[in-house]
Every structure is written in structure tokens, then in C-alpha cells.
């Protein structure tokens, strides 16, 4: 009997015996993974198990071979469904012919291990709270859902099921960007405050699915320098992306920031970027509004373009410009472009011209320390080959000086600024 290819993904596997998936490991040490009959297998479950089999690589997809030996890539639940449907068809044929049933062979799409690039030895941690290197879940059963995240808070939320619109009460608007609006929201089941970014996207359901599958990697991001991701969902033509709420907001509103605070912020940004690089994620939008702070003194990066499709879809409705303040000077770094009274949105072409033609801006020596001036000069180098990578910046004297794990400094500064704003608002 041939099974339809559009079989529902939640339908239990049609085979009466357990499904065996053979994970083909590049060095030949294949791993067989047994899944009990009737289990609901999701794409993310497979990635999790691959992550345990190959802990030093970041796998975002895998492949299987069709009857012609062609490799088919699986990146989503939908594609998993097609793969399983194809596999069960071959199993049925093997049963009819009385031959031994072959396991389902999958080939992880191996990315290069972080190796030297990740000088901190950061890894994608899919086994929270466990220093045990053996992976019992690999050979028997589905990976334990509670092990997917390391953050206790995140686990609590996920334990209450997937994020969805019904469970979220939208409160204040935190800000508007080019793509959408960010709300402070209350997640009823967990009692947790979230930041929810809502973006209107007039795209097909197929593209929506692609975005959801591309966002999957965010579940694996586990760093104190990266905003926590709680989940995302589409309702009609809008996507809601739920993340950790940062009570200090983004750095663009702080304008001028003292050097000793910027030092700690820079350490967090460089560590965050190093971590993203280790996951093969290029941020692509590093700017003050994408650096968030909280009253605990944490600094975290957000809005890195993990979903190409999402970035492309938003780009179609892009209306603004990329100009922003220099945080050390508290003013626009190219004063020749922006004269008093001019709005940033009016000058993007002049800005581009300026970046291309002029020397990069430098910090005034004497006002700022020598290591800081040098650090900024290095980061502003126009030739990408001359610009240091995040891991190289980690050993720069400015970063070394402030890499002291002192969260108090940022914490006290954020609290003081919030207090000042509150009292100013009270006066008005
Ligand atoms: P762009 O759309 O070009 O990225 P942007 O970063 O200013 O611009 P958004 O990403 O939509 O726009 O964010 C809008 C504002 O919402 C931010 O400037 C920030 O103040 C606030 N914000 C975003 N995420 C959070 C968060 N997790 N916690 C607290 N505030 C947030
Ligand atoms: Mg942003």
C-alpha cells in the first residue's frame, strides 16, 4: 500500500514496529536511533539528537537519499513528513518482498566545527545542566523536551506548551522599528514578562513555514550575551517573535555613555558576536537599538538575521536609514552629513557617500583612553580584511581591561539613568 505524501505531520508512524534512524557520521561511526511506534517525531527532535551525536558541529539540516540515490535536504517538519512518507513506502515494499527492513539513513549537514574561531570554547548546549558526555537519549526514545534549553525560565515557559496568541496579553509599546512594533507583554501560563516583536508580512504560507524553520536555530542559542528566545508564531499576516524582556531597553536611548560603562558593554558585544560566529550566524545589524541592557547589568544582542527569508521579507517594506549615534560622543559620528535641524531619514545617500569617501571617524585622543581610541579605530577600518574578527578583539587591551565580570557597573548606571528619566517625567 502506498502512503500519501501529504500525510499529516502529527499522524503516528504507520509501521507497527519501532522506527530506526541511522545517523550517518562523517568518520563512519554511524549511530542508530530507535523511536518507539506511534511517537510524534519533529524536525527539531532530530536536530537535537544529531546535536548530541555530533556535539562539536552545528547542524541545521540533514539529508536522506531517494530511490535514485539523490540527496534530499530536510529543514522543516513539512520536509520531515515527506521523508517519512517516502521511507514508509520503501518499508512497505521491503515487507512485501520479505527482505530485511533497512533503517532510515540520514546524513547530517555538517558545518565546520567552531575550532580556532571560537576561542572561548563555546558550544551549542542542547543538554542543559549536564556535564555528562554520554547521550543515552541517542539510542532510545525521543530526546527529552525539558533538556532542550538551559535557561530555567525558558524551560518553565516551554513546559506550558508552545507560544501562542491566546496566552499573551499585550501591554505597552516598547518601540517601533523599520519592520514592526515591539510590545511588552504578559505570558499568562508562565506569569512571565516578554518582549514581543510583531511584524506584518504579506507573504505566502510557504514562506511563513520557511521563516519558522529558519528561526529554529534560535532555540539553540544559549549565551548570556544573546537575548533569550521563547518562540514565534504566525497569526494571519503577522509574525510575533517572543523574547526575553530587558528592563533597561536599548542603548540608542542612552545617547552619551561613559567610557568605563562602554568598556563593559563592548566586552558583552564582542562575546555575543563571538558566540554567534561559533553558530555560523552573522549579525548583520549591529547597532545601539539592537543592544539591550537590564537593571541586573546584563548586555545582550538582539535582531540578528538568522532567517534570510524574514530579512528579505522585511527589506521589501524598509523605509528608514541606518544612521545612529556614536555612544561615546553622544552625537552623530559624521557631523558633516547631519546639520542641525536635519532628519536622519533625509540623508541616507549623503551618509553612504561620506562613508565611502571620507576617512573613518576617530575618537579624540586625550578625551578617551589610548586603548579605547585604538579599539574604535580598529573596528572602523574600511577594509574588511584589516578589521579584526570578534575573537581577535577579545585580546585587545581595551576588552581585556574591562573583561572583569563586573556587572555592577552597568547595573548601577542603568538604574541611575532610569531613575533620572522617571524623575524628569515626574517634573514635567
Ligand atoms: P530596526 O527595525 O531597524 O531594527 P529598531 O531596532 O529600533 O530598528 P525594533 O527592533 O523593532 O527596532 O525595536 C524597537 C524598540 O523596541 C527598540 O529600540 C528597543 O527600545 C525596544 N526593544 C526591542 N526588543 C526589546 C526587548 N527584548 N526588551 C526591551 N525592549 C526591547
Ligand atoms: Mg531592533
Amino acid at each position: 500500500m502506498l502512503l500519501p505524501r501529504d500525510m499529516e505531520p502529527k499522524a503516528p508512524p504507520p509501521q507497527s514496529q519501532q522506527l530506526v534512524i541511522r545517523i550517518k557520521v562523517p568518520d563512519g561511526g554511524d549511530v542508530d536511533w530507535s523511536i518507539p511506534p506511534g511517537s510524534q517525531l519533529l524536525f527539531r527532535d532530530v536536530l537535537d539528537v544529531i546535536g548530541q551525536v555530533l556535539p562539536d558541529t552545528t547542524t541545521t539540516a540533514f539529508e536522506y537519499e531517494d530511490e535514485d540515490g539523490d540527496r534530499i535536504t530536510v529543514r522543516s517538519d513539512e520536509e520531515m513528513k515527506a521523508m517519512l512518507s517516502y521511507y514508509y513506502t520503501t518499508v512497505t515494499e521491503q515487507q512485501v518482498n520479505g527482505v530485511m527492513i533497512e533503517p532510515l539513513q540520514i546524513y547530517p549537514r555538517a558545518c565546520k566545527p567552531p575550532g580556532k574561531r571560537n576561542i572561548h570554547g563555546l558550544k551549542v548546549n542542547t543538554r542543559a545542566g549536564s556535564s555528562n558526555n554520554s547521550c543515552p537519549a541517542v539510542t532510545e526514545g525521543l530526546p527529552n523536551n525539558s533538556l532542550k534549553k538551559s535557561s530555567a525560565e525558558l524551560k518553565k515557559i516551554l513546559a506550558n506548551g508552545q507560544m501562542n496568541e491566546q496566552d499573551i496579553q499585550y501591554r505597552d509599546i516598547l518601540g517601533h522599528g523599520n519592520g514592526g512594533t515591539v510590545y511588552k507583554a504578559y505570558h499568562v501560563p508562565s506569569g512571565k514578562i516578554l518582549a514581543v516583536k510583531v511584524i506584518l508580512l504579506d507573504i505566502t504560507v510557504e514562506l511563513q513555514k520557511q521563516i519558522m524553520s529558519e528561526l529554529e536555530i534560535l532555540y539553540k542559542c544559549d549565551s548570556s550575551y544573546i537575548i533569550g528566545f521563547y518562540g514565534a508564531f504566525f497569526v494571519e499576516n503577522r509574525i510575533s517573535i517572543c523574547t526575553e524582556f530587558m528592563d533597561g531597553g536599548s542603548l540608542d536611548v542612552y545617547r552619551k555613555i561613559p567610557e568605563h560603562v562602554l568598556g563593559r558593554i563592548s566586552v558583552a558585544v564582542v562575546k555575543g558576536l563571538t558566540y554567534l560566529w561559533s553558530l555560523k550566524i552573522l549579525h548583520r545589524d549591529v547597532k545601539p537599538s539592537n543592544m539591550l541592557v537590564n537593571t541586573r547589568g546584563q548586555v545582550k544582542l538582539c535582531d540578528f538575521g538568522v532567517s534570510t527569508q524574514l530579512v528579505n521579507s522585511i527589506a521589501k517594506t524598509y523605509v528608514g536609514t541606518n544612521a545612529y549615534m556614536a555612544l561615546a560622543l553622544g552625537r552623530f559620528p559624521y557631523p558633516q552629513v547631519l546639520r542641525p535641524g536635519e532628519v536622519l531619514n533625509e540623508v541616507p545617500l549623503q551618509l553612504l557617500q561620506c562613508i565611502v569617501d571620507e576617512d573613518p571617524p576617530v575618537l579624540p585622543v586625550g578625551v578617551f583612553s589610548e586603548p579605547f581610541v585604538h579599539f574604535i579605530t580598529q573596528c572602523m577600518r574600511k577594509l574588511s580584511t584589516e578589521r579584526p574578527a570578534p575573537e581577535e578583539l577579545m585580546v585587545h587591551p581595551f576588552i581585556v581591561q574591562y573583561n572583569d565580570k563586573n556587572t555592577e557597573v552597568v547595573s548601577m548606571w542603568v538604574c541611575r539613568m532610569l531613575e533620572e528619566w522617571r524623575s524628569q517625567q515626574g517634573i514635567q
Side-chain angles (χ1 to χ4, degrees):
M1 182 190 72
L2 289 184
L3 286 159
R5 277 190 178 252
D6 60 349
M7 189 180 69
E8 281 300 303
K10 283 181 182 162
Q15 90 286 12
S16 52
Q17 66 255 56
Q18 64 182 13
L19 167 69
V20 178
I21 294 185
R22 178 162 296 164
I23 300 168
K24 302 290 284 182
V25 179
D27 65 9
D30 301 343
V31 174
D32 281 356
W33 171 32
S34 304
I35 298 131
S39 300
Q40 184 192 327
L41 185 64
L42 297 174
F43 172 67
R44 206 186 309 144
D45 296 325
V46 181
L47 283 196
D48 272 0
V49 172
I50 293 174
Q52 293 176 44
V53 174
L54 301 168
D56 292 331
T57 59
T58 305
T59 307
T60 50
F62 55 88
E63 296 170 341
Y64 66 100
E65 278 179 0
D66 69 6
E67 62 265 29
D68 302 322
D70 290 334
R71 292 275 181 97
I72 316 283
T73 306
V74 177
R75 286 191 209 83
S76 63
D77 284 335
E78 278 298 302
E79 287 168 353
M80 272 265 305
K81 185 179 73 172
M83 175 186 75
L84 290 173
S85 176
Y86 164 74
Y87 174 67
Y88 294 139
T89 308
T90 62
V91 165
T92 310
E93 281 164 11
Q94 285 164 1
Q95 277 172 334
V96 168
N97 296 332
V99 295
M100 242 194 30
I101 293 170
E102 291 286 331
L104 168 58
Q105 301 203 358
I106 61 168
Y107 303 81
R109 278 268 198 107
C111 299
K112 231 170 66 192
K116 272 188 244 139
R117 293 178 72 190
N118 179 2
I119 57 168
H120 312 295
L122 290 167
K123 284 191 182 146
V124 187
N125 185 2
T126 55
R127 278 168 291 146
S130 164
S131 57
N132 185 352
N133 278 333
S134 66
C135 22
V138 170
T139 48
E140 216 43 63
L142 289 175
N144 182 346
N145 271 348
S146 66
L147 298 181
K148 282 180 184 166
K149 305 269 172 188
S150 68
S151 150
E153 293 171 340
L154 210 50
K155 256 192 270 173
K156 194 178 163 206
I157 285 186
L158 289 177
N160 287 301
Q162 298 256 319
M163 283 282 156
N164 61 60
E165 183 94 319
Q166 291 75 39
D167 289 342
I168 291 172
Q169 291 174 355
Y170 293 89
R171 301 235 169 124
D172 314 318
I173 289 182
L174 293 171
H176 300 279
N178 283 305
T181 302
V182 181
Y183 296 87
K184 184 175 177 180
Y186 178 67
H187 184 248
V188 181
S190 64
K192 188 96 186 129
I193 297 291
L194 314 174
V196 183
K197 185 168 195 166
V198 181
I199 307 168
L200 289 172
L201 296 171
D202 284 320
I203 52 170
T204 62
V205 174
E206 278 314 306
L207 287 183
Q208 291 187 354
K209 283 182 194 158
Q210 193 180 331
I211 288 173
M212 292 304 283
S213 97
E214 285 176 344
L215 290 176
E216 293 273 316
I217 191 160
L218 292 179
Y219 285 107
K220 293 203 168 190
C221 279
D222 183 16
S223 158
S224 349
Y225 310 104
I226 302 296
I227 200 79
F229 175 68
Y230 296 150
F233 55 86
F234 268 95
V235 175
E236 293 159 357
N237 63 344
R238 57 183 196 275
I239 185 172
S240 299
I241 301 170
C242 307
T243 58
E244 175 183 7
F245 169 69
M246 297 288 277
D247 61 359
S250 50
L251 290 184
D252 52 324
V253 292
Y254 289 84
R255 293 177 171 257
K256 199 169 170 171
I257 303 176
E259 181 175 330
H260 71 287
V261 178
L262 277 176
R264 271 79 185 202
I265 290 172
S266 307
V267 170
V269 169
V270 171
K271 285 186 177 176
L273 292 176
T274 306
Y275 179 74
L276 290 177
W277 275 44
S278 77
L279 295 182
K280 301 270 187 277
I281 297 172
L282 191 65
H283 192 297
R284 297 199 282 193
D285 204 10
V286 181
K287 59 180 178 182
S289 71
N290 289 338
M291 298 171 191
L292 301 165
V293 285
N294 63 18
T295 47
R296 290 164 61 196
Q298 293 176 305
V299 183
K300 305 196 181 199
L301 296 175
C302 68
D303 288 348
F304 35 97
V306 287
S307 166
T308 314
Q309 197 50 254
L310 182 58
V311 170
N312 290 346
S313 306
I314 293 173
K316 284 181 196 144
T317 56
Y318 181 80
V319 287
T321 176
N322 287 323
Y324 38 82
M325 295 287 166
L327 298 172
L329 296 169
R331 64 162 171 79
F332 191 57
Y334 289 97
Q336 61 271 52
V337 173
L338 196 70
R339 292 177 195 91
E342 272 183 327
V343 181
L344 291 177
N345 283 3
E346 293 167 5
V347 291
L349 285 178
Q350 279 165 270
L351 171 61
L352 284 182
Q353 199 71 48
C354 216
I355 293 169
V356 172
D357 295 343
E358 306 282 319
D359 285 337
V362 283
L363 284 180
V365 191
V367 180
F368 299 99
S369 75
E370 229 174 89
F372 189 25
V373 175
H374 185 263
F375 176 76
I376 294 297
T377 305
Q378 292 300 97
C379 295
M380 297 299 289
R381 287 196 175 278
K382 282 196 200 176
L383 269 181
S384 58
T385 47
E386 291 177 359
R387 256 192 330 266
E391 65 192 24
E392 291 167 287
L393 289 176
M394 276 312 298
V395 292
H396 188 281
F398 180 64
I399 296 297
V400 173
Q401 180 187 350
Y402 289 107
N403 189 10
D404 56 5
K405 296 193 170 65
N406 184 341
T407 49
E408 282 276 291
V409 172
V410 176
S411 167
M412 277 163 56
W413 170 74
V414 170
C415 291
R416 190 161 47 82
M417 296 305 288
L418 293 179
E419 199 51 49
E420 270 179 31
W421 289 330
R422 274 186 210 120
S423 65
Q424 276 170 14
Q425 278 167 358
I427 290 164
Q428 280 162 6

